[in-house]
């Protein structure tokens, strides 16, 4: 066996990204095997028709080249698994759908997953292992850090900076910044589902509502 590809995580995120990964291999004319990795498995099984195994079993597969997409929505868990995979000299795999649109001068870090109907507009820089779920977009001149996660249909307008580990909930809309004053979503901040973000969100803060305000616990 020369190459083997894997989607790490066989829960919601992984099962939704597997068809995207399969389609990408097909478009490239690559007929290599593709499997699920999930550490909840004690023995090999089948998930949606694909072979599924735990990480130790995956590591033991004989193959000259292994590629892994870590498909887990939680950015911190994603990082732990990515670091383990890289420590084992296994390559990160970046996956995008055939309907994903990437415009000009876009840089996207390794290990990212861009779901179907995602659009990344021009002059955007994105760090490693970004997840953009169905129908999300990133407009021009945005800078996005490492391990950032977008749930479905996030509207990230132009001149927005999103720092590492931030999580943006489904349907959230983030107001456009300006070149001299980008709107900033801080490190590890969480934007709730459907929130309308009109100003900066400090690091670690959870905001909800329209206009988005810090969540009172
Ligand atoms: N998982 C794993 N190894 C880990 C942590 C998680 O294989 O070290 C798997 C876990 O067994 C589960 C999936 O990753 O099947 C994460 O599922 P969850 O529903 O939490 O996340 P989602 O798929 O929604 O991102």
């Amino acid at each position: 066996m020369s190459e083997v590809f894997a989607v790490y995580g066989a829960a919601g995120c992984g099962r939704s990204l597997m068809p995207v990964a399969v389609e990408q291999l097909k478009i490239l004319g690559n007929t290599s095997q593709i499997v699920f990795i999930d550490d909840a498995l004690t023995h090999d099984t089948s998930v949606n028709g694909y072979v599924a195994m735990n990480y130790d079993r995956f590591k033991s597969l004989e193959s000259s080249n292994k590629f892994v997409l870590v498909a887990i929505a939680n950015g911190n868990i994603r990082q732990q698994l990515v670091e383990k995979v890289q420590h084992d000299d296994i390559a990160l795999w970046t996956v995008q759908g055939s309907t994903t649109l990437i415009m000009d001068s876009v840089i996207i870090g390794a290990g990212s997953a861009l779901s179907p109907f995602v659009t990344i507009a021009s002059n955007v820089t994105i760090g490693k292992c970004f997840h953009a779920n169905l129908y999300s977009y990133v407009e021009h001149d945005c800078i996005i850090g490492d391990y950032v996660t977008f749930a479905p249909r996030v509207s990230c307008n132009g001149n927005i900076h999103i720092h590492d580990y931030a999580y943006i909930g489904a349907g959230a809309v983030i107001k456009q910044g300006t070149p001299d004053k980008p709107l900033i979503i801080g490190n590890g901040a969480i934007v709730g589902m459907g929130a309308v973000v009109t100003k900066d969100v400090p690091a670690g803060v959870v905001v909800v509502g329209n206009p988005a305000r810090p969540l009172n616990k």
Side-chain angles (χ1 to χ4, degrees):
M1 197 193 301
S2 57
E3 287 187 332
V4 58
F5 291 78
V7 172
Y8 200 155
C13 182
R15 281 183 283 108
S16 285
L17 282 167
M18 177 59 96
V20 182
V22 168
E23 182 188 41
Q24 176 162 304
L25 281 190
K26 207 174 277 177
I27 287 169
L28 295 172
N30 188 322
T31 56
S32 300
Q33 189 191 11
I34 180 161
V35 302
F36 276 114
I37 305 169
D38 199 295
D39 296 311
L41 301 173
T42 52
H43 57 274
D44 290 8
T45 183
S46 169
V47 173
N48 288 349
Y50 301 96
V51 175
M53 62 190 70
N54 61 41
Y55 184 68
D56 288 337
R57 268 278 299 136
F58 178 74
K59 263 204 314 187
S60 74
L61 293 181
E62 272 186 42
S63 159
S64 55
N65 274 312
K66 294 177 182 170
F67 300 87
V68 170
L69 171 72
V70 179
I72 294 178
N74 182 305
N76 293 296
I77 297 177
R78 200 151 76 237
Q79 181 178 25
Q80 283 170 27
L81 298 185
V82 161
E83 287 175 355
K84 177 174 73 172
V85 163
Q86 290 192 303
H87 181 262
D88 290 331
D89 285 329
I90 295 173
L92 296 183
W93 187 24
T94 300
V95 165
Q96 67 183 72
S98 62
T99 55
T100 303
L101 182 59
I102 297 179
M103 298 188 183
D104 293 334
S105 297
V106 171
I107 297 169
I108 301 176
S112 294
L114 307 175
S115 291
F117 305 104
V118 164
T119 299
I120 312 291
S122 296
N123 302 97
V124 167
T125 300
I126 297 174
K128 70 191 296 191
C129 302
F130 175 53
H131 269 207
N133 214 324
L134 303 167
Y135 292 97
S136 290
Y137 69 75
V138 179
E139 248 291 16
H140 62 87
D141 298 300
C142 286
I143 300 177
I144 294 181
D146 295 335
Y147 301 104
V148 170
T149 308
F150 283 9
R153 213 179 273 287
V154 167
S155 302
C156 175
N157 291 295
N159 286 299
I160 291 168
H161 292 188
I162 302 183
H163 296 173
D164 300 349
Y165 309 108
Y167 180 91
I168 317 297
V173 178
I174 310 173
K175 187 184 177 191
Q176 178 168 0
T178 60
D180 53 326
K181 195 179 181 312
L183 188 145
I184 293 172
I185 309 282
N187 190 304
I190 296 176
V191 173
M193 180 174 65
V196 177
V197 179
T198 57
K199 54 187 186 189
D200 292 356
V201 179
V205 168
V206 181
V207 296
V208 296
N210 177 9
R213 293 197 176 90
L215 183 66
N216 292 323
K217 288 205 174 146

